[in-house]
Amino acid sequence: MFERLGRCWRVFATGLSFALFGIGGLLLRVVVFPVLQLLVRDPARRVALSRGVIRASFRVYVEMMQALGVLRYELSGMEKLERGGLLILANHPTLIDTVFLMAFVKDADCIVKADLWNNPFMRGPILAAGYIANHGGVELVDDCIASLERGNNLIIFPEGTRTGRDGVISMKRGAANIAVRGARDITPVVIGCQPATLGKGEKWWKVPPRVVRFRIEVQEDLPIGSFIGNGASEVLAARQLTEYLQHYFTGKSQGHV
């Protein structure tokens, strides 16, 4: 009986969390960011402040979900994220991985899918923070490298979408292209979630029988030199790096099961 009541509460709390996320995004769009637009004239300063607001908001949101009993989380190696200009690559098991990383990474930039630019709850924060539009092609890679050169910490999920139900990680080549062309070492982040929830194709109300626990581990940097220092073309280097990342994240993710 108590287990059933607990699960019912978590279904309600999860729905409440999603509702509050949407409301919060709308409030940022219609209240907070218009005020920043009026008070801060320098565009770069305004973007930095907007990103700070989003980071603080996501941090509060994560703590709220924990207080509601929706989840528990554990962090490891976060001191490695105190630097600037990091290319942060992470696996993508759940819907809220972005929220976690944006909550704990300072000066964070990210690539935003095209459909979110028209989302009434997300459009305001996305525009105010100056995130990178996922328009694809060489221009996208150039925008990402430029962001890193400005000292931003760029968060990318190389899978391009959430990991499938079978747990198989399949990397796209975009992140490797950025690392190779920008000659940037990679800061890997491994995200584990047990029991699995909010995965690809899963409904939010299908909560697991017990509270989910997230473990977010920042790993040691992966040097890019061995991939680009042997005279290989950028295309070949990106292909080899993608294969390496796929094996790397597959192995690390299995260690979270």
Side-chain angles (χ1 to χ4, degrees):
M1 174 180 170
F2 289 108
E3 290 182 1
R4 183 177 298 176
L5 287 174
R7 193 166 188 172
C8 288
W9 166 255
R10 283 183 285 111
V11 171
F12 169 77
T14 301
L16 177 63
S17 297
F18 276 103
L20 291 175
F21 186 89
I23 292 170
L26 194 57
L27 287 175
L28 289 177
R29 177 181 181 179
V30 301
V31 178
V32 177
F33 293 133
V35 172
L36 281 179
Q37 182 78 22
L38 290 174
L39 297 180
V40 182
R41 309 307 299 174
D42 178 61
R45 173 70 174 158
R46 190 165 60 245
V47 165
L49 287 173
S50 298
R51 291 179 177 179
V53 168
I54 292 171
R55 184 189 182 199
S57 300
F58 280 4
R59 187 73 171 266
V60 170
Y61 183 72
V62 167
E63 296 300 334
M64 179 205 71
M65 286 191 291
Q66 180 162 250
L68 288 172
V70 173
L71 54 81
R72 297 285 183 267
Y73 71 89
E74 180 182 354
L75 307 175
S76 176
M78 300 303 288
E79 69 280 356
K80 300 183 185 74
L81 300 181
E82 292 301 313
R83 300 165 291 165
L86 300 177
L87 176 56
I88 300 170
L89 305 188
N91 60 314
H92 199 2
T94 83
L95 183 63
I96 58 175
D97 302 329
T98 305
V99 173
F100 267 107
L101 291 184
M102 298 292 284
F104 293 101
V105 176
K106 66 178 182 180
D107 302 322
D109 198 358
C110 64
I111 300 171
V112 180
K113 294 180 179 179
D115 56 347
L116 289 179
W117 286 85
N118 297 318
N119 185 301
F121 302 106
M122 298 301 298
R123 179 175 173 81
I126 289 170
L127 288 173
Y131 294 139
I132 300 169
N134 187 8
H135 41 59
V138 176
E139 185 179 358
L140 174 59
V141 175
D142 290 340
D143 288 345
C144 290
I145 293 173
S147 178
L148 291 166
E149 290 175 345
R150 291 194 298 270
N152 296 318
N153 291 321
L154 181 62
I155 299 170
I156 297 179
F157 298 98
E159 295 172 84
T161 185
R162 281 172 282 169
T163 308
R165 294 182 182 180
D166 56 6
V168 175
I169 291 177
S170 179
M171 297 288 181
K172 303 294 190 294
R173 204 176 296 175
N177 282 329
I178 295 166
V180 168
R181 287 190 50 201
R184 290 278 173 170
D185 292 343
I186 293 166
T187 302
V189 177
V190 179
I191 302 173
C193 176
Q194 290 297 326
T197 188
L198 298 176
K200 188 174 184 179
E202 292 185 19
K203 305 299 183 183
W204 67 263
W205 61 84
K206 300 235 177 193
V207 302
R210 65 181 189 274
V211 176
V212 298
R213 296 184 178 275
F214 281 81
R215 180 168 175 79
I216 301 171
E217 296 182 357
V218 184
Q219 309 292 319
E220 296 296 329
D221 286 357
L222 301 177
I224 193 68
S226 60
F227 294 93
I228 62 176
N230 55 8
S233 67
E234 290 183 346
V235 173
L236 179 59
R239 182 184 303 124
Q240 292 174 338
L241 178 56
T242 301
E243 292 174 357
Y244 176 85
L245 290 173
Q246 181 153 327
H247 291 300
Y248 178 91
F249 277 104
T250 297
K252 291 290 185 179
S253 299
Q254 289 175 348
H256 281 70
V257 176

